[in-house]
């Protein structure tokens, strides 16, 4: 039994290690000698009740049943320390956001068909009708219809929510793809091909909706938003790099309609998975009055003009490279852009986003001159491939910075519409660049055709510089 303070003698007797004055608690004794050096005093459970114990360096004591005992230390395990320590990789921190992995998986599945459907349509129509001109005209019509319909679809998404609009819009687009397959299979008149493929214009901009979710989840955190935009741009490049390869493989190995059927199935599945993640969906902001279009936002027209010129870079480079060395070499440009986008997202961005955009466009203009120099010098295919790899390195940083500026210039309740307008301008530029590149290839040769993407990049740089100057003049 513990000795009460009243019965304790005034002077503690000398310590007698061979005597035990009080029963020990039910703790197994430690092996080894009882005496310890002064630097490591005995725990409280090994001291006699009539002897004042030396205070430990970091005492962890508790009272149990009227007796002083040592409380166990609970050091965190290595697994707990790993969970508590933030990851040094910004992309791992980004995907650690609750719900992020689920909607990212659905978004990637839905985005892969974006690079499949047009290639599959060209292979399917050209194989059955024997006309690449008809196939190109059908896909061009679908692109033009998308440029008109996509902003209205995005406006509905902003007004009623992603899940309520994206699922029925995707279902209409999938029905259009299936109708195209039936028209090709049953050899219907040519105008039915145009009508069926135009119905796919209701496909929602899943990349824009995903960026809107990142902007909602990481509002007020520019560094995380920069990483998210870089991740989305790298995902774009990856899907447009793998989509055409997958489409060509399916159409060649199975049957001509296989690429369109698989692409439509992936699109519907991915959008359903994406829309099911309601916890990360941005809330719909009620509109009490009519809100002006993002086109009327200061600085937005100049940004859209930059996207238009940047799209011309992509369209011209695609046509000229296919004519000069075949379509497989384009994968290197996408690979360079994907790698540069991931690297760019891991770096801390400069605060002045407009200056960043000018620097990225200047780098793009300089790098786009490399394929022109290689083709003009009649360099071999490996040299041209390396030049295209380097030329693609400026693509993703430019697009990431441009999308960041679009997000800043757009009202939160119009974010999907603003980013879809940017994508629409990009698609329009792709069509114009493809036409310009094809004209140069036909009239001046493929080597001179590489002047088209370099000129388009220089035009984007001039437009961005002029737009920034106009904004400063207007504020003054």
């Amino acid at each position: 039994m513990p000795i009460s303070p009243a019965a304790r003698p005034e002077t503690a007797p000398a310590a007698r290690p061979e005597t035990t004055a009080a029963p020990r608690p039910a703790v197994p004794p430690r092996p080894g000698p009882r005496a310890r050096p002064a630097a490591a005093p005995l725990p409280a459970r090994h001291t006699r009740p009539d002897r004042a114990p030396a205070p430990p360096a970091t005492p962890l004591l508790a009272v149990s049943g009227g007796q002083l005992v040592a409380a166990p230390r609970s050091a965190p395990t290595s697994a707990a320390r790993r969970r508590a320590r933030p990851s040094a990789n910004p992309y791992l921190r980004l995907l650690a956001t609750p719900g992020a992995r689920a909607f990212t998986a659905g978004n990637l599945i839905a985005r892969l068909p974006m690079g499949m459907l047009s290639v599959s349509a060209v292979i399917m129509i050209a194989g059955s009708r024997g006309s690449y001109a008809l196939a190109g005209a059908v896909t061009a019509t679908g692109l033009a219809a998308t440029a008109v319909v996509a902003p209205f679809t995005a406006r509905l998404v902003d007004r009623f929510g992603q899940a309520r609009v994206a699922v029925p819009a995707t279902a209409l687009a999938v029905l259009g793809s299936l109708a195209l397959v039936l028209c090709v299979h049953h050899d219907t008149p040519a105008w039915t091909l145009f009508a069926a493929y135009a119905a796919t214009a209701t496909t929602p901009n899943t990349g824009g909706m995903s960026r809107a979710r990142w902007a909602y989840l990481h509002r007020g955190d520019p560094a995380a938003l920069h990483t998210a935009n870089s991740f989305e741009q790298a995902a774009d490049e990856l899907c447009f790099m793998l989509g055409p390869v997958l489409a060509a493989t399916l159409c060649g190995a199975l049957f001509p309609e296989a690429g369109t059927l698989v692409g439509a199935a992936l699109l519907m599945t991915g959008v359903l998975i994406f829309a099911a993640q309601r916890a990360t969906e941005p809330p719909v902001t009620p509109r009490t009055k009519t809100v002006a279009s993002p086109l009327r936002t200061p600085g937005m027209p100049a940004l859209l003009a930059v996207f238009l010129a940047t799209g011309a870079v992509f369209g011209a480079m695609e046509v000229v490279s296919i004519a000069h060395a075949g379509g497989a070499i384009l994968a290197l440009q996408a690979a360079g852009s994907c790698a540069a986008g991931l690297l760019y997202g891991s770096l801390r961005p400069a605060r002045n986003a407009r200056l960043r955009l000018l620097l990225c466009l200047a780098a793009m203009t300089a790098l786009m001159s490399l394929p022109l120099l290689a083709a003009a010098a009649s360099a071999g295919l490996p040299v041209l491939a390396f030049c295209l790899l380097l030329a693609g390195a400026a693509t993703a940083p430019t697009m990431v910075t441009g999308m960041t500026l679009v997000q800043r210039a757009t009202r939160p309740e119009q974010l999907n519409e603003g980013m879809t307008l940017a994508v629409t301008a990009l698609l329009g530029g792709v069509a114009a660049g493809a036409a310009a590149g094809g004209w140069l290839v036909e009239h001046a040769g493929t080597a001179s055709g590489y002047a088209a993407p370099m000129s388009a990049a220089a035009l984007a740089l001039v437009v961005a510089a002029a737009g920034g100057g106009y904004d400063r003049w207007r504020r003054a």
Side-chain angles (χ1 to χ4, degrees):
M1 294 180 60
I3 302 176
S4 64
R8 188 173 297 170
E10 295 293 332
T11 305
R16 291 176 297 172
E18 70 278 0
T19 308
T20 303
R24 298 176 182 268
V27 177
R30 295 185 177 182
R34 295 188 181 183
R36 292 192 177 186
L42 289 174
R45 66 176 182 268
H46 285 258
T47 58
R48 294 176 51 177
D50 56 347
R51 180 180 178 183
T58 308
L60 292 174
L61 306 176
V63 176
S64 176
Q67 188 168 356
L68 195 64
V69 296
R73 294 179 180 268
S74 57
T77 62
S78 58
R81 283 196 299 267
R82 285 195 300 269
R83 287 193 300 267
R85 185 188 304 119
S87 173
N89 191 323
Y91 295 101
L92 294 180
R93 292 200 304 268
L94 186 72
L95 294 177
T97 306
R101 296 183 180 181
F103 82 77
T104 299
N107 179 42
L108 291 177
I109 296 173
R111 202 182 299 187
L112 183 61
M114 302 303 176
M116 295 178 58
L117 292 176
S118 60
V119 176
S120 300
V122 169
I123 296 175
M124 180 173 61
I125 296 173
S128 64
R129 303 297 175 96
S131 173
Y132 278 97
L134 177 61
V138 170
T139 54
T141 301
L143 184 63
T146 301
V148 174
V149 175
F152 292 98
T153 305
R155 186 176 300 176
L156 293 176
V157 168
D158 285 326
R159 183 169 297 182
F160 299 105
Q162 294 183 356
R164 294 179 62 184
V165 175
V167 174
T170 304
L172 289 177
V174 169
L175 289 177
S177 296
L178 296 179
L180 179 65
V181 171
L182 292 176
C183 291
V184 171
H185 184 73
H186 293 287
D187 198 18
T188 59
W191 66 267
T192 60
L193 305 181
F194 289 91
Y197 199 72
T200 63
T202 60
T203 304
N205 181 15
T206 53
M209 291 192 297
S210 182
R211 288 180 174 92
R213 294 201 180 207
W214 290 122
Y216 166 68
L217 294 174
H218 296 285
R219 55 195 182 278
D221 190 351
L225 193 55
H226 168 73
T227 303
N229 285 333
S230 301
F231 173 78
E232 291 296 326
Q233 186 60 39
D236 276 339
E237 300 294 345
L238 182 64
C239 292
F240 279 103
M241 182 172 59
L242 298 179
V245 177
L246 178 60
T249 302
L250 290 172
C251 293
L254 300 178
F255 47 91
E257 296 86 0
T260 301
L261 293 175
V262 172
L266 289 175
L267 177 62
M268 194 73 245
T269 302
V271 170
L272 287 175
I273 296 174
F274 180 84
Q277 314 307 317
R278 304 299 293 270
T280 56
E281 181 179 350
V284 178
T285 304
R287 299 185 182 183
T288 57
K289 59 180 181 180
T290 303
V291 181
S293 170
L295 287 172
R296 303 181 63 180
T297 305
M300 193 67 170
L303 283 173
L304 295 181
V306 171
F307 275 94
L308 186 68
T310 306
V313 175
F314 304 151
M317 181 67 75
E318 180 178 354
V319 172
V320 175
S321 296
I322 290 175
H324 187 78
I329 200 172
L330 285 173
L332 291 173
Q333 183 188 0
S337 180
C338 180
L342 293 176
L343 178 62
Y344 185 66
S346 64
L347 302 176
R348 183 185 296 272
R351 293 186 177 182
N352 192 337
R354 290 191 177 275
L355 179 59
R356 267 193 287 149
L357 181 62
L358 292 176
L359 294 177
C360 290
L361 289 172
M364 176 182 285
T365 305
L367 292 175
M368 285 297 165
S369 66
L370 297 179
L372 174 61
L373 295 175
S378 300
L381 187 59
V383 176
L384 179 62
F386 181 70
C387 291
L388 286 175
L389 183 68
L390 294 179
T395 300
T398 302
M399 296 299 299
V400 170
T401 308
M403 280 296 182
T404 300
L405 289 171
V406 169
Q407 290 172 353
R408 294 181 182 180
T410 308
R411 297 168 63 95
E413 64 270 19
Q414 295 178 303
L415 194 55
N416 286 288
E417 184 179 355
M419 288 188 292
T420 302
L421 285 173
V423 174
T424 301
L426 194 70
L427 293 177
V430 169
W439 187 89
L440 276 176
V441 166
E442 185 175 348
H443 291 84
T446 56
S448 300
Y450 277 110
M454 187 188 70
S455 301
L459 178 61
L461 176 60
V462 171
V463 170
Y470 170 75
D471 289 342
R472 288 192 296 271
W473 173 82
R474 182 182 53 81
R475 287 194 298 268

